[in-house]
Amino acid sequence: MTRTELTIRSTKNQVKPSLLAEAKPLLRSLGKLGKAVSSGVIGALVGALIGADSTSCYDQPETTRDVDALAQQAFRPASRAIRAAGRARRGRTGGPRRRLQQAQAALNKLGVDLDRFLQNHQDPKCQAYALVAEHGLEPAKKAVARSLTYLDGIDQGERDDARHKAQTISRRKRVGKVRCEEAGKLGDQLPKGAGERNYVVYWSPPPPPNSDVKYVGISRSLKRRCQAHPDERSRNLETLNLPLLTFSEAKQVEESLIAHFGPRRESRNGAPKGTNRGQLRNRIHAVSPDRPDYCPQLLAGQSLLVVSPGYLAYADAMFTRNHRCLGVGHPR
């Protein structure tokens, strides 16, 4: 018999039937997170609801019914957040992670509330329930922490896959830093036709300083693009020294740069509207942040910047219309 089953059996005469019905399926749904986590969660749920009927101090100003409500407000969201983490998939960890972080904050607040209750009520009968709930608090915190670690593993796996693909792309021949006066020569070297690796990424003017960058773009016919741009832009235009890219790969890198520097009309993530605006004259994102696959697309472009010498500093995304994407972490 597992420790979890012993926990349930030893408390089944004290626990409300509704709690026992809730606890048993929870164990099955948390299989991915390990037996220790499952035991901790069920122990926390048991601790949350035991004793509401076994103590007799409801006539007190702050009763066990009040603490019971506080406990349920912390433990139940925590159990739901852990279930959501167990179902999480690559590219879909942001929501479960936020729920777990909220659960952490609620559990910390519950600890403060329980301490206050115990200080204010010296009657052992009144303290009994709070002590049981407090006993379940630490397992619940550990369960949430392990769930966050589980999500970290999913995220790191996604980062590793994106980095591996970027490293494969980076083995291709590099374009070099080409300006408009050399665009014709570059065009003669590029493969022709749609679907080929014939796209380059450019910015104008190039850094340093970073504040000089006013426009980023892609092209498979740099000569024509230089002719189409205003003189000031084409005069300062330069390609990034990246490998030759397909259209989708170039779009991903372009979006990474736009998300780093930001369009002029857009505020930085987390800033009040109209403040901390970007610096680019680009009017739109290369990949719309409203697309369901925006974050994986952004990560692909960021990863290519990370593995390309000299471009790591531009992999941070600060203008994503407040969409919370995985990012590249802290690459070395």
Side-chain angles (χ1 to χ4, degrees), residues 177-183 206 222 226 235-239:
K177 297 180 179 180
V178 180
R179 304 185 74 90
C180 279
E181 52 265 29
E182 304 162 317
L222 190 62
C226 288
R235 185 168 55 250
N236 296 302
L237 185 151
E238 183 180 274
T239 63

Side-chain angles (χ1 to χ4, degrees), residues 172-245:
R172 302 174 192 166
K173 180 181 178 182
R174 294 186 177 275
V175 175
K177 297 180 179 180
V178 180
R179 304 185 74 90
C180 279
E181 52 265 29
E182 304 162 317
K185 183 178 179 180
L186 173 64
D188 294 338
Q189 301 173 3
L190 298 180
K192 308 299 181 184
E196 297 289 340
R197 298 168 181 170
N198 52 10
Y199 275 85
V200 298
V201 183
Y202 63 87
W203 44 19
S204 176
N210 292 339
S211 58
D212 276 0
V213 181
K214 296 297 184 289
Y215 190 86
V216 298
I218 66 172
S219 179
R220 64 176 178 176
S221 179
L222 190 62
K223 183 177 180 179
R224 280 206 306 266
R225 187 56 55 89
C226 288
Q227 294 169 348
H229 279 312
D231 289 344
E232 180 183 0
R233 187 176 299 166
S234 60
R235 185 168 55 250
N236 296 302
L237 185 151
E238 183 180 274
T239 63
L240 281 72
N241 185 21
L242 297 175
L244 288 173
L245 304 172

